[in-house]
Amino acid sequence: MDIIILLIKQNIVMFCYMIIGYFLFKKKLITNSGSNEIGRLLLYVVMPIAIIKSYSIDFSIEMLIGLCISFVGAVASLGISILISRLVFKNKDSIEMFSASFSNAGFIGIPLVSMTLGEGAVFFIASYVALLNILQWTYGVYIITENKEHISLKKIYKNPIIISFVIGIILFILPIKLPSTVKTVMNTIADMNGPLAMIILGVYIGQIKLKELFNDRVVYACSIVRLIVTPIATIIVLSIIPSKFIIIKLTILIATSAPVGSNVAIFSQIYNKNYKQAVKDVCLSTILCIVTLPIIISIANYIW
């Protein structure tokens, strides 16, 4: 019960950050291009540092086992997510298929896991985020464009999340100790992840008329799949993992239960798809997630 109360409190805090972003955009104190620049700061600096920081710990067999279990859980969860999205949307809408398949595990999952389960739990969500990015730039690009020629392996191995994950693994395995000053800088920057991510999402919401946001049945369908159907299916599958790994199970579940990833909006712009629809998917699922995520964790606590 403690984690549910803490999760509700953190959701309220993150909602407040989102409101700040909304009003900053409405008052023209931040523009869409400005939010894009903040997004790049998150992607290229804040999130990679948060991941590297989580791996800057002493090596142990227990943590290595936990890392392997988290990776298997991530594979299972993302596989379930992709399968369900294909069954529901059946190639009829590439934007909705992408949105339902991939959560915002990086921008929202990492700070929520850190604030509710502790900074050490970020160690386990990093593999999920890395795998998520690989799938977005391969399978995700394919369903958006319907053309395999757009898939670029170069973009995968140059992805800052993948690079930070590899650096983190090296730091974990090798006896490398980072100076205390470096750790202090990393801690400070990593703490920026949640506030900046939610401010950007607030800017996204500011671009959409609220009436349009709440009147689209397709967007609701996407949110139901992303926030309820896939997490419940994941709870059932993760029940196979022994209860002593409860932190790992909850970490994967929070990542899975996060709202639609903002990359769908970025990809829709790059490949000339329905950007407005993509933004609506991101915004509505983010708002609804404030209510659905604590419910999903409550169900998991009852079953597990």
Side-chain angles (χ1 to χ4, degrees):
M1 185 61 68
D2 289 342
I3 186 177
I4 297 168
I5 294 173
L6 186 57
L7 190 59
I8 292 172
K9 289 181 178 179
Q10 294 304 330
N11 275 347
I12 293 172
V13 170
M14 296 185 81
F15 182 70
C16 291
Y17 292 142
M18 191 163 59
I19 291 175
I20 290 173
Y22 177 84
F23 281 107
L24 284 174
F25 181 78
K26 288 297 184 181
K27 296 296 182 181
K28 299 181 180 179
L29 295 174
I30 186 172
T31 62
N32 187 29
S33 61
S35 70
N36 289 337
E37 290 170 356
I38 296 175
R40 284 194 289 272
L41 175 65
L42 274 168
L43 179 62
Y44 288 96
V45 179
V46 180
M47 279 178 55
I49 286 179
I51 290 173
I52 293 172
K53 170 196 166 189
S54 70
Y55 282 90
S56 301
I57 59 175
D58 293 333
F59 176 84
S60 70
I61 296 298
E62 291 77 12
M63 292 300 287
L64 181 60
I65 292 172
L67 178 63
C68 294
I69 292 173
S70 68
F71 181 78
V72 172
V75 171
S77 173
L78 286 163
I80 290 168
S81 182
I82 289 172
L83 177 61
I84 291 175
S85 69
R86 290 190 71 89
L87 290 174
V88 172
F89 296 105
K90 298 178 180 177
N91 296 324
K92 293 179 181 179
D93 192 324
S94 60
I95 294 294
E96 302 306 325
M97 279 188 65
F98 189 107
S99 296
S101 295
F102 304 117
S103 72
N104 207 341
F107 286 178
I108 294 181
I110 288 178
L112 274 180
V113 165
S114 176
M115 290 184 285
T116 56
L117 300 177
E119 292 184 3
V122 177
F123 180 89
F124 302 120
I125 197 176
S127 56
Y128 186 104
V129 176
L131 184 58
L132 176 74
N133 274 267
I134 292 172
L135 288 172
Q136 283 182 331
W137 284 100
T138 51
Y139 173 74
V141 168
Y142 173 70
I143 60 176
I144 284 282
T145 63
E146 299 179 350
N147 188 345
K148 292 181 180 179
E149 293 181 0
H150 287 285
I151 297 175
S152 172
L153 295 178
K154 183 178 179 180
K155 290 182 179 179
I156 295 174
Y157 69 74
K158 284 192 173 183
N159 186 290
I161 303 302
I162 308 301
I163 294 172
S164 63
F165 179 68
V166 173
I167 293 173
I169 293 293
I170 293 172
L171 288 175
F172 173 61
I173 294 175
L174 298 179
I176 300 174
K177 297 289 184 181
L178 296 177
S180 59
T181 303
V182 173
K183 288 186 176 181
T184 300
V185 173
M186 292 173 68
N187 290 339
T188 305
I189 293 176
D191 289 341
M192 297 165 61
N193 196 358
L196 289 180
M198 296 309 295
I199 287 173
I200 290 173
L201 290 172
V203 172
Y204 276 156
I205 294 174
Q207 298 174 43
I208 302 291
K209 292 181 180 179
L210 295 181
K211 184 178 180 180
E212 294 180 7
L213 182 61
F214 292 104
N215 283 346
D216 194 323
R217 292 182 180 179
V218 176
V219 177
Y220 274 104
C222 177
S223 292
I224 290 172
V225 172
R226 173 73 267 145
L227 302 176
I228 299 175
V229 179
T230 297
I232 289 176
T234 301
I235 289 173
I236 296 171
V237 172
L238 292 183
S239 297
I240 300 172
I241 299 176
S243 57
K244 67 178 181 179
F245 298 111
I246 185 66
I247 295 297
I248 297 174
K249 293 163 71 171
L250 288 172
T251 297
I252 298 298
L253 184 58
I254 289 175
T256 303
S257 306
V260 172
S262 53
N263 267 357
V264 67
I266 296 171
F267 281 28
S268 65
Q269 279 187 316
I270 293 174
Y271 299 110
N272 298 316
K273 298 294 181 178
N274 193 338
Y275 172 75
K276 188 174 182 180
Q277 186 74 14
V279 171
K280 286 162 69 174
D281 284 341
V282 174
C283 293
L284 183 62
S285 64
T286 301
I287 293 171
L288 296 179
C289 175
I290 295 169
V291 176
T292 59
L293 189 50
I295 294 174
I296 291 297
I297 298 301
S298 297
I299 294 172
N301 276 341
Y302 178 77
I303 294 177
W304 293 342

